[in-house]
Amino acid sequence: MMSMQAKERLAKAVIWGAALITVCILALIIGYILVQGIAKLSLSFFLENPRRMGSEGGIFSPLIGTIYFTCLTMLLAAPVGIGAAVYLTEFTREGPLVRVIRFATDALAGIPSIVIGLFGFAFFVVFLKPLTGGWSILSGSLTAFCMILPTVVRASEEAIKAVPAAYREGSLALGASKWQTVLWVVLPSAMPGILTGVLLGVGRVIGETAPLLLTLGGSLLIPRSIFQPARTLSMHLYLVAMETGEFSVAFGTAAVLVIVILLLNLLSHTLMRRLMIRIGGR
Amino acid sequence: MRRLPACSADDMLYSDIQVLIAGRGRREMALQPQEKVFPLLLLICALTSILVVILVGVFVFLQGYPVLAKTGFFTFLLGRSWQPGQGVYGILPMVVGTVVVTLLSLIIGVPLGIATAIFLAELAPEGAAAWTRRAIELLAGIPSVVYGLFGMVTIVPLVRYIASNWFGAWLSPEMKTGYGILAASLVLAIMILPTIVSISEDALRAVPREYKEGSFALGVPHWQTIVHVLLPAARSGIIAGVVLGMGRAIGETMAILMVAGNAPALPRSIFSPVRTMSGNIGLEMGYASGSHAQALFATGIVLFLVIMLLNGFALLFTGRRAVRTP
């Protein structure tokens, strides 16, 4: 029979071990991808177009496609998401309408991305073809917009809620209107937090693949407008790995993706720290 | 602004002041229409989520309904054969595939996730906790295709080695490729860790201090306190985390496509190649048309319903937590 102390120590050792495994898995994945992929990274890898279905050449056109697609998606999602968050936190009280909106946002966040992709295919690619050009950057962005809207709304809501009530009261006491208070006091204070939410959205958009397979078209040509098909880096990685089996290109692309995600993470942490300083810390 | 008359307020008639105030009020309204318009715009933004959810439901349902009506919901759900060429649509292999892969990934991921959450909430020194949390946040941000690629070149060969060298005598050739249930579950287990860890940690931290202090005051050691006081008190939150992780596992498409082998047949061992519902859509939607495409939409309807049910459960548990903890 083990003594109480021995049991206690054993249990804690197991927990430490589990945490260590979790961290090691992460280090293994990131380390492995970077080690395998970084040799492939060179200026020509970034600036050459893919050849032979992507098994040779670089990643120029997927890179351009990713930039177009990410910017357009965020241009759609950021204003609507922040607007919704401002409405939910500043312009309304808890009531049936707010409950329904919150429920819909939660439900949307829970819908699998492939189902959103099916919807995007049926609605944006087929139904709205005259407007979106069928498989195109616009269709892909609108689909991704539906997917990341909840992320942006929730993060912005949290950031706005974190602004102390005294700020609003001070502004109103000075005679500013509700709208002026929101625009010139609340939003600037919450901005680092809101940007963190937007960056979270960017990360998800860059990493997402399944709905884009159905809406973005996957063309290897450089897109000239948002009405043309394109492919993103994640899509490129999947298609190259599955269709050509050329793992060196896939690893190079994966390394680029991982580096971008690392940078986004770093940026959002810096912003978060700034938010904490601005609203007086927790 | 209207100039005030050159006399004291006493000399002014009450109605004059009324006119003055009313005039100012009207002027400000005229100057700032945004006070009326912007809340309306914001309301429209807020209503977008509702609109999108309704559109998603309606469009996916409308596209998938014809096949469901023709085949019958239960024949579709429980049919063992998926042959789009012959117009035979049964998704039982995919349903079983999804269930098995999800359960196995939970069996692997949940103990690891809850242990890590206990570490973060109770045992870790502040520095170690901060670093571990950063690491888990990163794990959540890595694209699923990167997990898939990692799985293809590390986990699949590992599983292949185990299958052919340790169990080679019992397995048929298609089970020795490495692509299959086990590889998919291992990859998924890693992918759902962040969800389980962060929600379980929040649940553990939400347990009132008094519970822990009371237990310590009775002389109960730390570990006993964790097992017999903190975990039971945080139970509903932890279950909610597990259910959400499960939702993520069921909805995941890309990583599974890359490591699961994707054969639309009922699996016979954990080394069998398997296809999930989401994988079925991702794999075939690219070239499907006609009733084949409708059958994929119908698969989407089933997936949609399953996730909605799961979210309902999660809501039930988080709701109960809100009631339980004062």
Side-chain angles (χ1 to χ4, degrees):
Chain A
M1 186 69 191
M2 236 192 290
S3 77
M4 209 67 151
Q5 277 95 340
K7 256 191 201 166
E8 187 90 1
R9 230 173 292 155
L10 181 71
K12 285 187 179 174
V14 169
I15 297 289
W16 270 88
L20 205 65
I21 291 175
T22 306
V23 175
C24 283
I25 289 172
L26 173 88
L28 185 69
I29 292 176
I30 292 191
Y32 192 87
I33 297 287
L34 288 181
V35 166
Q36 295 281 319
I38 223 133
K40 189 81 188 166
L41 301 187
S42 65
L43 201 59
S44 63
F45 185 66
F46 285 103
L47 294 181
E48 269 178 35
N49 266 334
R51 290 189 302 272
R52 307 188 45 156
M53 291 176 68
S55 63
E56 286 172 22
I59 53 165
F60 186 65
S61 63
L63 198 63
I64 298 296
T66 306
I67 293 170
Y68 262 108
F69 163 74
T70 308
C71 291
L72 184 60
T73 307
M74 293 328 289
L75 278 178
L76 295 168
V80 175
I82 297 169
V86 170
Y87 183 80
L88 287 174
T89 48
E90 300 288 325
F91 283 91
T92 181
R93 254 165 233 155
E94 287 301 321
L97 179 67
V98 175
R99 269 203 295 278
V100 173
I101 293 174
R102 254 182 244 286
F103 176 77
T105 313
D106 285 349
L108 193 57
I111 297 176
S113 58
I114 189 82
V115 174
I116 304 245
L118 279 177
F119 158 71
F121 173 76
F123 189 59
F124 299 122
V125 176
V126 177
F127 190 72
L128 294 181
K129 188 170 187 191
L131 295 176
T132 59
W135 282 285
S136 69
I137 295 180
L138 185 58
S139 299
S141 290
L142 286 166
T143 310
F145 161 82
C146 300
M147 207 183 61
I148 63 157
L149 189 61
T151 313
V152 180
V153 173
R154 277 188 196 159
S156 309
E157 235 186 308
E158 291 303 316
I160 293 172
K161 273 188 198 154
V163 176
Y167 284 29
R168 297 183 184 86
E169 287 157 8
S171 168
L172 291 172
L174 287 173
S177 67
K178 178 90 189 170
W179 176 248
Q180 288 166 328
T181 303
V182 168
L183 196 61
W184 301 111
V185 177
V186 176
L187 278 183
S189 315
M191 200 38 87
I194 293 175
L195 284 180
T196 310
V198 172
L199 286 182
L200 259 177
V202 171
R204 261 200 84 185
V205 166
I206 291 179
E208 198 55 62
T209 315
L212 303 185
L213 278 177
L214 311 183
T215 53
L216 200 59
S219 156
L220 273 172
L221 301 172
I222 299 169
R224 303 274 169 215
S225 78
I226 58 168
F227 301 104
Q228 286 184 348
R231 68 164 72 173
T232 64
L233 288 172
S234 313
M235 260 176 102
H236 189 60
L237 194 172
Y238 170 75
L239 293 170
V240 167
M242 295 295 279
E243 286 174 6
T244 72
E246 184 57 52
F247 283 111
S248 75
V249 174
F251 271 111
T253 316
V256 174
L257 279 171
V258 167
I259 291 169
V260 169
I261 296 295
L262 282 173
L263 288 177
L264 281 175
N265 196 276
L266 209 64
L267 193 60
S268 69
H269 265 266
T270 320
L271 281 171
M272 219 46 212
R273 207 169 301 135
R274 189 163 299 174
L275 174 75
M276 286 308 154
I277 293 167
R278 196 176 285 193
I279 63 174
R282 253 202 280 210
Chain B
M1 182 176 280
R2 199 167 117 187
R3 194 178 293 256
L4 279 171
C7 60
S8 71
D10 291 355
D11 300 331
M12 283 168 70
L13 288 170
Y14 181 70
S15 58
D16 279 352
I17 299 175
Q18 287 282 301
V19 168
L20 207 67
I21 293 170
R24 276 185 58 114
R26 246 199 318 278
R27 275 262 281 268
E28 276 187 356
M29 281 308 212
L31 275 176
Q32 297 182 325
Q34 66 261 44
E35 295 283 339
K36 286 264 174 225
V37 175
F38 281 100
L40 198 68
L41 280 179
L42 296 177
L43 175 63
I44 293 171
C45 290
L47 293 176
T48 312
S49 298
I50 300 180
L51 180 75
V52 170
V53 169
I54 292 173
L55 278 178
V56 170
V58 166
F59 265 82
V60 173
F61 191 81
L62 280 184
Q63 297 283 323
Y65 183 72
V67 158
L68 283 185
K70 200 173 138 210
T71 323
F73 183 72
F74 287 102
T75 323
F76 180 76
L77 193 67
L78 301 178
R80 283 158 168 264
S81 166
W82 174 266
Q83 287 165 317
Q86 274 84 54
V88 177
Y89 306 112
I91 60 166
L92 188 65
M94 283 72 117
V95 174
V96 172
T98 303
V99 171
V100 172
V101 168
T102 304
L103 286 184
L104 192 55
S105 72
L106 287 177
I107 290 172
I108 302 165
V110 167
L112 199 57
I114 294 181
T116 310
I118 294 174
F119 173 78
L120 288 174
E122 288 296 316
L123 299 181
E126 205 35 60
W131 277 101
T132 312
R133 244 176 250 128
R134 285 290 291 268
I136 288 163
E137 213 175 294
L138 266 178
L139 212 53
I142 294 176
S144 56
V145 279
V146 173
Y147 281 110
L149 183 66
F150 177 79
M152 274 174 103
V153 294
T154 58
I155 291 172
V156 167
L158 182 73
V159 173
R160 184 186 305 144
Y161 179 85
I162 292 173
S164 20
N165 290 18
W166 299 358
F167 303 99
W170 297 286
L171 300 177
S172 54
E174 89 269 5
M175 296 185 200
K176 289 190 229 171
T177 58
Y179 293 92
I181 293 176
L182 187 57
S185 304
L186 283 169
V187 171
L188 261 188
I190 301 172
M191 295 182 71
I192 61 173
L193 266 180
T195 313
I196 296 173
V197 172
S198 63
I199 295 180
S200 304
E201 193 202 342
D202 286 347
L204 283 169
R205 285 186 183 278
V207 175
R209 269 183 78 90
E210 290 80 16
Y211 288 26
K212 194 171 152 188
E213 285 164 359
S215 174
F216 282 170
L218 290 172
V220 180
H222 195 179
W223 177 249
Q224 302 282 332
T225 303
I226 292 172
V227 173
H228 295 294
V229 178
L230 296 183
L231 283 179
R235 192 182 56 209
S236 52
I238 293 174
I239 292 175
V242 171
V243 171
L244 284 179
M246 200 168 157
R248 197 172 168 201
I250 292 175
E252 177 52 44
T253 313
M254 304 315 294
I256 295 186
L257 270 184
M258 293 168 89
V259 296
N262 302 324
L266 284 171
R268 283 183 292 142
S269 81
I270 59 166
F271 296 106
S272 291
V274 77
R275 187 186 288 191
T276 61
M277 287 190 276
S278 51
N280 192 34
I281 303 170
L283 206 63
E284 297 189 354
M285 198 61 215
Y287 59 86
S289 61
S291 72
H292 184 190
Q294 288 171 347
L296 295 176
F297 273 95
T299 315
I301 295 177
V302 176
L303 203 53
F304 189 93
L305 293 178
V306 171
I307 291 289
M308 285 297 155
L309 273 177
L310 263 183
N311 282 357
F313 274 121
L315 211 65
L316 213 69
F317 278 112
T318 40
R320 255 180 55 192
R321 180 177 55 171
V323 176
R324 272 166 61 100
T325 27

